[in-house]
Amino acid sequence: RSSDLPTDPGMLRVFILHAENVQTPDTDISDTYCSVLFQGVKKKTKVIKNNLNPVWNEGFEWDLKGVPLDAGAELQVVVKDHETMGRNRFLGQTRVPLQGLLSSPNLTASFNAPLLDTKKQNTGASLTLQLSYFPPPGAVPVFVPPTPEPTPSMSELDTVTDIAE
C-alpha cells in the first residue's frame, strides 16, 4: 500500500541573503529583519542591528504537501525595522513571482528585488534572495528543453506494419 511509504511532499526553499541601502525615513539606522510569506505561512529572519546593508543568510522551507507550485504563485517579503517600543516600522516590501523559478533549468534562481514602499514606489533598497523548488514526485516538470522528435517516414511505417507471412 502506498500510504506506508514515506512520501516526499515537495518543498520550496528560500534563502534570504542580504539587503542593500535599507533606510528609515528619519535616517535612523535600523535594526532590520525580514518576514517572508508564502501560501499564508509566515517566517521571520533574525534582527540585524544598526546596519544599512544587513546580511541574514537564512534559509526557510515550506512543505508543499504534495501540491506542485503554481506558475502564478508568488512570495511576499517585507523588511521591517525592529522597535523595542511600539510597532515595528515598515521599511519596504517585494513580491517575487515564482514563474521565473519554475522556468529555470535546475529549479533554482536568485533574485535581486527592489524594495517598494506602501505606495509601490522604489525605496532605493534591494533584497537578494535565492529560491529552490523541489517538486513533489509525479509533478510534471515545467521546464522541458525542446527536443525535436524524430518522425518516422512513410517507408519506415510500412516496414513496421508489414507482417511476415
Side-chain angles (χ1 to χ4, degrees):
R1 293 206 328 272
S2 61
S3 60
D4 296 339
L5 295 170
T7 54
D8 175 7
M11 185 175 71
L12 177 69
R13 183 178 285 156
V14 177
F15 277 101
I16 302 291
L17 300 176
H18 58 89
E20 288 172 11
N21 204 23
V22 179
Q23 302 203 7
T24 57
D26 55 10
T27 67
D28 176 30
I29 296 181
S30 57
D31 300 336
T32 47
Y33 72 95
C34 288
S35 65
V36 190
L37 184 66
F38 177 68
Q39 291 184 341
V41 179
K42 187 184 281 188
K43 310 204 179 210
K44 282 185 189 163
T45 65
K46 58 185 179 285
V47 174
I48 304 287
K49 293 190 174 296
N50 300 325
N51 200 325
L52 293 176
N53 303 301
V55 176
W56 290 284
N57 284 340
E58 263 186 84
F60 302 102
E61 293 175 352
W62 276 264
D63 177 345
L64 299 177
K65 301 180 174 62
V67 181
L69 269 185
D70 183 73
E74 54 180 21
L75 191 74
Q76 186 178 355
V77 186
V78 178
V79 178
K80 289 187 173 177
D81 179 13
H82 178 75
E83 298 286 347
T84 42
M85 299 287 290
R87 290 187 58 203
N88 296 335
R89 280 194 298 186
F90 172 91
L91 297 176
Q93 69 176 349
T94 187
R95 287 178 180 274
V96 180
L98 299 184
Q99 178 77 48
L101 173 64
L102 289 170
S103 58
S104 63
N106 53 0
L107 297 176
T108 296
S110 294
F111 296 89
N112 185 12
L115 290 173
L116 307 179
D117 65 16
T118 48
K119 300 184 182 70
K120 295 194 168 36
Q121 299 297 307
N122 200 327
T123 61
S126 64
L127 177 73
T128 303
L129 59 164
Q130 185 183 15
L131 309 183
S132 299
Y133 171 43
F134 302 90
V140 180
V142 179
F143 180 84
V144 180
T147 48
E149 285 289 315
T151 49
S153 65
M154 286 316 278
S155 62
E156 284 174 319
L157 283 175
D158 289 345
T159 54
V160 172
T161 52
D162 208 6
I163 298 162
E165 298 293 317

